[in-house]
Amino acid sequence: MNIAIIGSGNIGSGLARTFGATSHGIVVASRDIEGARSLAEKLDKDGIRVQVSDIATAVKNAEIIMLAIPYGAVNELASAVDFSDKVVIDVTNPLKEDFSGITVGFDSSAAEEIQKLMPNAKVVKAFNTVFAQVYDQGLDFNGRAVPAFVAADDEGAKATVMAVAKEAGFDAVDAGGLINARYIEPLAYLNIYFGYMAGQGTQIAPAWLAR
């Protein structure tokens, strides 16, 4: 399966490292094409092969697209590129500029707003609760895999994302319909609070206990 990661920053780099180690074809696309090439060269030294492409070509040739860009940049992207019939994974969090909270909530979510911007795409919320630094040290936390909460209205798209998440080493958790992104995004912000404001650092991830 061809997966395009839009964005070559910290999150995009982490996703490329993690999914580049799977059987899928990974393409990193970014307006910063030199940054994407630098990332590909770095990963190649670690034995991880990813391709680099412009955004329009990457989206056209991919079955899955991961949005590893700021939420505020999605509107422009959706206006410039056709995402029809694609599985679009929203990895964004609608953070305020000062990180004091989120800008979308209660009666909507970033994922639902992105679905409005891309009405013919199959938007899936996933991977937004994972710090970029977690990817550097891997998804195994003392024998327990980092959860990926996956929410979508399209059951086929959700199943596809859960399958690739499991292959990458996540504990893929079915989080229901896309409406539940309204709760997954605040969970991500709480994780940010614990990590940065409460001083727990970035090697943490939210999870549910069960017995």
Side-chain angles (χ1 to χ4, degrees), residues 32-202:
D32 178 13
I33 198 70
E34 290 305 317
R37 289 195 180 109
S38 177
L39 169 61
E41 291 170 2
K42 178 180 178 181
L43 293 177
D44 186 63
K45 293 177 181 178
D46 295 332
I48 298 172
R49 298 293 179 86
V50 301
Q51 302 297 314
V52 175
S53 172
D54 64 274
I55 294 174
T57 302
V59 170
K60 180 181 179 180
N61 294 330
E63 290 124 307
I64 297 176
I65 296 100
M66 298 182 178
L67 300 181
I69 58 176
Y71 171 64
V74 176
N75 192 11
E76 180 181 351
L77 177 65
S79 299
V81 181
D82 183 11
F83 288 87
S84 295
D85 300 320
K86 304 294 185 178
V87 175
V88 177
I89 303 177
D90 171 27
V91 191
T92 74
N93 285 306
L95 301 172
K96 294 181 178 179
E97 288 188 9
D98 63 358
F99 283 71
S100 64
I102 55 178
T103 61
V104 181
F106 298 111
D107 57 359
S108 189
S109 63
E112 290 170 280
E113 295 304 308
I114 290 171
Q115 182 67 84
K116 293 175 185 176
L117 292 171
M118 305 175 183
N120 296 317
K122 303 168 186 176
V123 175
V124 180
K125 190 75 188 186
F127 310 128
N128 68 303
T129 59
V130 184
F131 279 126
Q133 295 86 345
V134 166
Y135 296 114
D136 292 334
Q137 295 189 34
L139 300 176
D140 183 275
F141 275 58
N142 299 317
R144 184 172 184 182
V146 171
F149 304 103
V150 185
D153 290 337
D154 187 291
E155 291 298 326
K158 185 197 297 182
T160 296
V161 173
M162 290 187 69
V164 298
K166 289 177 182 177
E167 183 178 346
F170 287 97
D171 174 16
V173 180
D174 187 334
L178 198 63
I179 192 172
N180 286 342
R182 300 178 188 184
Y183 316 113
I184 300 171
E185 290 167 7
L187 176 63
Y189 178 74
L190 184 62
N191 193 49
I192 291 169
Y193 172 81
F194 285 143
Y196 289 103
M197 292 75 154
Q200 293 188 24
T202 53

